[in-house]
Amino acid sequence: PGLEQGLDTRLRMGAAASVSGEDLELEAFVAAKTAYDALEDKSDNAATMRAVKEAYVSKLKPATAPTKRNIFILFGPPAAGKGTHGPRLAELFSIPTLSTGDMLRAAVAEGSEIGKQAESIMQAGGLVSDEIVAGCIKERIAKDDCGKGFILDGFPRTVEQAKALDEMLNATSEAVSQVIALEVPDEVLVERITGRWIHKESGRSYHVKFSPPKSLQEGMTPSAETMLDDETGQPLMQRQDDTEEALTKRLANYHSQTVPILSHYEPTGAVRKVNANQDMEEVWKEVNSGLPSSA
């Protein structure tokens, strides 16, 4: 009876005059009184007090606001430097870089419903639809390692895909934080692409002009004999599509379908254009200067 009388008195006082700063406490007393009234057996004073106290304290704890995720789109043409700056961005924010190819392969390996759909299409030699890619991304970004955010590399490639991404994020009251657009003139990209050699097993990348292996001495002609991996001494190789002809087609597709994505996101203020035609460290400084806090 004493406990019930005390709760009733406090509630009447709170109802008569809501004092600034005491609304939370009043809610706590309401919760305590509700818990008290819900108890059928009040004979155990210790148990009754414990139930009332738990209800009271639970209301005094401030609600924890959901953590805002950092959601980046790493944007740029082939050889713009996404493979260089993406890992640094991922390390800075402790978030994963997600590529559509990796996500599709992972979904297939996991045997998810989306993975099964993608596998049947890929085995038939078809192109995976935007709907399946979006579903794959939706599954992936729900995993624990994306709790702080994630970086999308290679998606979206069209305005339609960007709209699908926006709709997906809007369902959880989220939006793209930044679109980091690495900009390089086409003629520079040709030089970067055609001079690129890679070590197939490790993925290490070299360039005959900008980052040659130790085996390529001055005056030598780049070849399988002169382009050797620094760590293993194994021959390097050039990708089949690392040619001027292939790049010309890829750039035409990039400018016609992918570049309009910037116009889609510019009204939101998310787009940051970075001059990627400069020293690698200078590019990173420019990228880093406009990033949100990583704390």
Side-chain angles (χ1 to χ4, degrees):
L3 175 59
E4 182 176 15
Q5 183 178 3
L7 288 172
D8 285 338
T9 301
R10 179 60 185 86
L11 290 175
R12 283 196 299 272
M13 291 172 59
S18 180
V19 181
S20 177
E22 291 189 359
D23 286 345
L24 188 62
E25 185 181 0
L26 179 58
E27 289 181 16
F29 272 103
V30 170
K33 182 62 165 62
T34 302
Y36 180 84
D37 291 341
L39 291 173
E40 293 182 3
D41 182 7
K42 302 180 178 67
S43 59
D44 187 335
N45 289 334
T48 300
M49 285 295 295
R50 185 163 55 250
V52 170
K53 183 178 180 180
E54 286 177 357
Y56 177 82
V57 172
S58 68
K59 280 296 180 181
L60 286 182
K61 292 180 180 178
T64 303
T67 302
K68 181 182 178 183
R69 296 197 291 183
N70 287 302
I71 301 172
F72 299 101
I73 297 176
L74 196 54
F75 191 91
K82 299 190 296 296
T84 297
H85 302 293
R88 298 183 74 169
L89 187 63
E91 182 179 5
L92 179 64
F93 285 88
S94 300
I95 57 178
T97 299
L98 309 178
S99 72
T100 50
D102 289 344
M103 284 186 283
L104 285 170
R105 284 188 288 272
V108 170
E110 290 173 3
S112 68
E113 186 59 37
I114 288 290
K116 291 176 182 177
Q117 294 176 33
E119 184 177 27
S120 63
I121 294 172
M122 290 188 291
Q123 286 180 344
L127 292 175
V128 179
S129 68
D130 286 354
E131 290 77 14
I132 290 179
V133 173
C136 186
I137 292 173
K138 184 177 181 180
E139 283 187 354
R140 180 64 183 84
I141 65 177
K143 294 185 181 297
D144 291 344
D145 64 339
C146 292
K148 293 182 179 180
F150 51 89
I151 304 163
L152 290 173
D153 180 3
F155 186 92
R157 292 183 183 273
T158 65
V159 172
E160 289 71 26
Q161 290 181 350
K163 290 179 179 178
L165 174 63
D166 294 343
E167 184 177 347
M168 183 194 312
L169 295 175
N170 187 57
T172 52
S173 301
E174 294 179 296
V176 172
S177 308
Q178 277 194 9
V179 179
I180 301 174
L182 302 177
E183 300 194 318
V184 182
D186 286 2
E187 59 271 20
V188 175
L189 294 172
V190 171
E191 184 178 25
R192 288 186 182 183
I193 283 283
T194 56
R196 182 166 65 181
W197 290 65
I198 64 168
H199 182 239
K200 186 176 181 180
E201 284 73 17
S202 68
R204 283 186 288 274
S205 181
Y206 299 85
H207 193 278
V208 296
K209 179 179 178 180
F210 305 117
S211 181
K214 297 173 183 176
S215 59
L216 185 69
Q217 301 298 314
E218 188 174 350
M220 286 184 174
T221 300
S223 67
E225 289 72 35
T226 59
M227 297 291 287
L228 306 176
D229 180 46
D230 287 347
E231 294 191 19
T232 65
Q234 295 173 340
L236 303 177
M237 61 169 286
Q238 284 190 292
R239 293 176 177 144
Q240 290 184 347
D241 59 353
D242 278 358
T243 64
E244 186 170 353
E245 181 182 4
L247 178 62
T248 300
K249 293 179 181 178
R250 291 165 69 189
L251 286 176
N253 185 62
Y254 174 78
H255 288 301
S256 65
Q257 294 193 40
T258 309
V259 169
I261 294 172
L262 294 181
S263 299
H264 171 75
Y265 282 113
E266 277 174 344
T268 69
V271 175
R272 285 190 55 239
K273 295 181 179 181
V274 174
N275 174 18
N277 186 27
Q278 54 183 328
D279 179 77
M280 183 173 64
E281 286 304 314
E282 293 303 314
V283 176
W284 174 246
K285 286 180 183 178
E286 195 170 327
V287 170
N288 195 22
S289 66
L291 293 175
S293 172
S294 58

